[in-house]
Amino acid sequence: MNSSQEVKAKDAVHEAAEYLRACGIHVPRFKLTTTPPGNRSGVGGSYFEGSAGELHLNMGRYPATFHRNWFAMHELGHVLWAAHRPLRWKHFRETFGEPRPRNCDEIHKQESWKTAGAYGRIRPAGEPSFYGARAGGEERFCELIGFMYATGDFSKRPPADLSDLWDIGWEHGLARMT
């Protein structure tokens, strides 16, 4: 990754983490890397791995600010999920408790690029993205906060079809992650 892209990637994650902190959300420590994707396009490559003890976020390469913001917040959603274990909370679990499907890798290949690639304008009704609709509750949550952050901020009302989903995500998830 060239140094400019690496700096932009790190800055996007740090800014998103600071935004979460400003919202009163506890963001645990995590290791941040900026390894570029292994594909020929040179775009993408963000991922999270770890558990509550060892958290690692890799921020790939995204030339547009919108995409960097979306994927920075999406991956921070995985950090929050691992650290706060929100499925302990009943109302959150009812909305975001769907397990990861067995074919999640295939769903990722088919769906992960669609909504963010269209700057959030194309998505299934009532869902933050195509990927979030099909890849289980954790991805749905991460896509939701990525969508909200990249299209404005958490205080902005979501599109009407995401209002109930956002209310659960905020009231029964993020607001408890203090």
Side-chain angles (χ1 to χ4, degrees):
M1 183 178 297
N2 70 43
S3 61
S4 173
Q5 286 293 322
E6 185 174 346
V7 168
K8 288 178 180 180
K10 286 181 178 178
D11 286 350
V13 172
H14 290 304
E15 289 169 15
E18 282 307 310
Y19 179 80
L20 289 168
R21 289 182 186 105
C23 291
I25 298 164
H26 170 70
V27 179
R29 289 181 180 220
F30 58 92
K31 177 183 176 184
L32 174 61
T33 56
T34 55
T35 305
N39 61 35
R40 289 187 288 151
S41 75
V43 176
S46 65
Y47 62 86
F48 167 80
E49 55 189 16
S51 60
E54 179 103 6
L55 307 174
H56 173 221
L57 186 162
N58 184 74
M59 185 64 182
R61 180 179 289 179
Y62 303 95
T65 301
F66 178 89
H67 300 116
R68 275 193 305 275
N69 289 343
W70 180 300
F71 288 102
M73 187 59 76
H74 173 101
E75 299 306 339
L76 283 168
H78 290 296
V79 169
L80 296 174
W81 190 280
H84 293 283
R85 299 177 304 131
L87 291 182
R88 297 176 292 148
W89 306 318
K90 181 183 178 191
H91 293 297
F92 187 90
R93 183 175 58 248
E94 289 170 348
T95 302
F96 297 100
E98 182 181 351
R100 178 182 217 95
R102 288 180 193 223
N103 65 338
C104 197
D105 289 341
E106 188 61 33
I107 292 170
H108 183 268
K109 288 176 191 171
Q110 293 171 354
E111 308 288 7
S112 65
W113 58 275
K114 289 181 181 177
T115 300
Y119 292 87
R121 293 185 298 262
I122 301 171
R123 58 184 179 76
E127 295 292 344
S129 70
F130 290 94
Y131 183 53
R134 296 186 55 210
E138 181 175 352
E139 294 298 343
R140 187 181 199 204
F141 170 74
C142 294
E143 287 286 278
L144 178 65
I145 67 173
F147 174 89
M148 290 298 292
Y149 182 68
T151 60
D153 65 44
F154 291 175
S155 65
K156 182 180 168 189
R157 288 304 303 160
D161 67 313
L162 290 180
S163 185
D164 291 342
L165 187 64
W166 177 246
D167 288 346
I168 297 287
W170 178 260
E171 294 296 325
H172 300 283
L174 291 167
R176 300 176 104 181
M177 296 180 183
T178 57

